[in-house]
Amino acid sequence: MVSILSALLCLGLSLGQRIHVQAGTLPKPTLWAEPGSVIPYGSPVTLWCEGSLEAQKFDLYKEGKRVLWNTQTGRNSTTKDKFSITHMTEHDAGIYHCYYHSPTGWSEPSDALELVVTGSYSKPSLSALTSPVVPSGGKVTLQCGSGQGFDRFILTKEGDHRLSWTQDSQPQPSGWAKTLFLVGPITPSHRWRFRCYGYYRNSSQVWSPPSDALELLIPGESGKPSLLTQQGPIVASGQSLTLQCCSDVGYDRFALSKEGGGNLPQSLVLQPQAGLSQAHFPLDTVSSSHGGRYRCYGGYNLSSEWSAPSDPLDILVAGLLPDRPSLSVQPGPRVASGENVTLLCQSRSPRDTFLLSKEGAASPPLCRGAKHRAQQFQAEFSMSPVTSAHGGTYRCYSSHSSSPFLLSLPSEPLELLVSDYTVENLTRMGVAGLILVVIGVLLFEARNDPIRTLDAASM
């Protein structure tokens, strides 16, 4: 029994030595994967091994173990052969080498090919710290994070998995794991579009699904677009909100940037109308996260450089602070043109800022710092002298400087009525004008005092 084991052992050693001696007498082959070496779970992939003109058959090895793939080339075949995986799984992921055999022996092994499967676990998030808007030549820090507790993260530049960065994660007490990647310098010579993945050390070829794509924006100097909202700058919490970016320059696409936001939504241009290119950015149901300062940019599909930024648009979300301030006016809601008018906004809640908005106005609301008087926090908005343009419906809101884009509930509306009947105007109008003025005043009073109108009708 011992002699048989010894004989087998000697035979194994001699075969191993013979294979070892034979291997390496030919140039090493080339091994690659199509469509790439990073494959989504369930997708097909083909491994190709290419040798010299003398190649007769190919062997494929995964992590030192031979794969059940042993092919022989035909007389009219090329110097390469393929191994197809129809549905990629975690069992197919790993490190591969291939060899080819010729009449003179075995070749050296190919360079290693790392085949990765993605789609296990849940996808991480990718954002740019500070802003994804980066000046040409600048650098930016990207953060990849996940609640899965990954050991490592990989950042890839979209379209080229060969350009990637790998970092160990930084575990957080909450169980969240994240890491930071410093990228740059950023130049407009090509697009900078990234995704990130997470994985564990004990299965380094099994990655998570990719994060949502993050594209860095390099602003240029071409004509800046305009950023608008039909709802106005103050939007109630829970309402829907759509921002519109438009330009008379024929841009193919637009991007929306929120100051301090890490992501950069993009939208293709809608059908141009009246020479304007435009795109809509629906922000869905408004919440506290939508409050902030926005800008948009225009760009072309074949260029990585974007336009100059639009003028900023502040979106203020009302109803997130529980108080409802009061709004009053001095000397009263009906005044003549040229008078001095003061609107007073007050709240019992400790607030350091008040805002006054006029219904239908395109301009942003007026903002004043609060003062504490008679157990009230208040701010005055002076209009001196008033004109007919000041007439309209006003509301005021309270806010706090620590969250300037989050507002209280609106005050009750206050309607300011401004007449143009000053003494100077009456003098110039003469008797006929005075008669018209009297009629106008009576109509004005009747419109704004329905009780008096009813009394006069009953007489």
Side-chain angles (χ1 to χ4, degrees):
M1 186 70 175
V2 175
S3 60
I4 295 175
L5 290 174
S6 301
L8 290 174
L9 181 59
C10 291
L11 178 61
L13 289 173
S14 64
L15 286 174
Q17 290 171 354
R18 185 177 66 180
I19 293 173
H20 178 73
V21 170
Q22 288 178 345
T25 59
L26 294 171
K28 64 183 178 182
T30 302
L31 178 63
W32 73 95
E34 292 180 355
S37 59
V38 179
I39 305 297
Y41 191 96
S43 297
V45 61
T46 299
L47 303 185
W48 287 92
C49 186
E50 184 173 22
S52 71
L53 293 174
E54 300 176 341
Q56 293 179 332
K57 66 177 181 178
F58 296 86
D59 271 357
L60 182 69
Y61 283 77
K62 177 190 172 188
E63 295 164 359
K65 296 180 180 179
R66 183 168 169 241
V67 179
L68 294 180
W69 176 46
N70 188 340
T71 64
Q72 284 190 310
T73 62
R75 291 181 181 178
N76 298 323
S77 69
T78 63
T79 59
K80 63 182 179 181
D81 217 328
K82 65 180 180 179
F83 171 65
S84 296
I85 300 174
T86 56
H87 295 87
M88 184 73 179
T89 70
E90 64 273 12
H91 302 295
D92 302 306
I95 307 295
Y96 288 82
H97 296 83
C98 76
Y99 301 79
Y100 68 91
H101 189 268
S102 75
T104 59
W106 285 96
S107 70
E108 291 190 15
S110 66
D111 290 335
L113 171 68
E114 184 175 23
L115 193 60
V116 172
V117 62
T118 68
S120 299
Y121 325 116
S122 60
K123 68 180 180 182
S125 62
L126 180 62
S127 60
L129 298 188
T130 307
S131 173
V133 180
V134 186
S136 180
K139 296 184 178 182
V140 63
T141 299
L142 305 184
Q143 176 179 288
C144 187
S146 172
Q148 294 271 176
F150 293 123
D151 299 321
R152 288 183 175 177
F153 291 99
I154 292 181
L155 179 72
T156 63
K157 188 169 180 292
E158 194 168 281
D160 189 354
H161 284 292
R162 291 171 297 177
L163 185 57
S164 63
W165 299 261
T166 303
Q167 295 270 25
D168 290 340
S169 67
Q170 304 165 9
Q172 307 297 306
S174 61
W176 183 267
K178 67 177 183 178
T179 196
L180 304 178
F181 298 92
L182 180 63
V183 177
I186 307 299
T187 61
S189 56
H190 50 90
R191 294 178 69 172
W192 295 80
R193 190 176 174 90
F194 297 90
R195 296 181 188 268
C196 76
Y197 304 79
Y199 70 89
Y200 300 101
R201 285 191 183 90
N202 59 0
S203 53
S204 58
Q205 285 87 40
V206 180
W207 295 0
S208 71
S211 68
D212 292 333
L214 171 66
E215 182 169 359
L216 302 181
L217 187 151
I218 307 170
E221 298 180 355
S222 59
K224 66 181 181 181
S226 299
L227 184 59
L228 313 168
T229 172
Q230 298 298 326
Q231 293 96 322
I234 299 180
V235 186
S237 176
Q239 287 187 339
S240 61
L241 174 65
T242 297
L243 302 185
Q244 177 183 348
C245 190
C246 59
S247 173
D248 56 4
V249 180
Y251 294 122
D252 299 322
R253 56 184 178 141
F254 289 100
L256 181 68
S257 170
K258 179 174 180 283
E259 198 169 281
N263 296 317
L264 195 69
Q266 294 187 33
S267 178
L268 296 177
V269 170
L270 301 174
Q271 185 67 32
Q273 298 179 358
L276 287 178
S277 56
Q278 58 180 315
H280 293 166
F281 295 91
L283 302 184
D284 301 324
T285 304
V286 174
S287 63
S288 59
S289 63
H290 291 99
R293 177 162 294 174
Y294 293 81
R295 292 178 174 86
C296 74
Y297 302 78
Y300 300 100
N301 290 330
L302 299 179
S303 173
S304 61
E305 191 168 10
W306 294 76
S307 71
S310 68
D311 291 333
L313 172 66
D314 289 348
I315 296 298
L316 308 172
V317 184
L320 295 177
L321 301 182
D323 62 311
R324 185 188 297 273
S326 62
L327 181 61
S328 58
V329 59
Q330 292 294 333
R334 302 171 186 169
V335 294
S337 180
E339 288 192 58
N340 296 330
V341 173
T342 299
L343 298 179
L344 180 65
C345 190
Q346 300 182 94
S347 175
R348 293 188 178 276
S349 300
R351 301 285 181 254
D352 58 15
T353 308
F354 288 95
L355 298 93
L356 180 70
S357 71
K358 183 183 177 186
E359 195 172 283
S363 57
L366 299 175
C367 183
R368 296 284 186 272
K371 295 180 180 179
H372 190 223
R373 293 176 182 170
Q375 298 182 343
Q376 292 262 29
F377 294 87
Q378 58 182 257
E380 295 181 350
F381 297 86
S382 298
M383 303 176 185
S384 303
V386 295
T387 66
S388 58
H390 288 97
T393 301
Y394 291 84
R395 292 176 175 84
C396 78
Y397 304 80
S398 66
S399 181
H400 201 281
S401 57
S402 61
S403 304
F405 302 104
L406 308 183
L407 308 183
S408 69
L409 296 165
S411 68
E412 296 297 331
L414 184 148
E415 186 173 8
L416 181 63
L417 303 170
V418 182
S419 66
D420 282 328
Y421 305 125
T422 62
V423 174
E424 183 180 351
N425 289 338
L426 293 175
T427 302
R428 287 201 301 264
M429 293 173 70
V431 176
L434 289 174
I435 294 174
L436 293 175
V437 167
V438 171
I439 296 173
V441 169
L442 290 175
L443 292 174
F444 180 83
E445 292 290 336
R447 188 188 71 175
N448 295 287
D449 195 343
I451 296 177
R452 182 181 297 178
T453 304
L454 290 174
D455 291 343
S458 62
M459 293 176 62

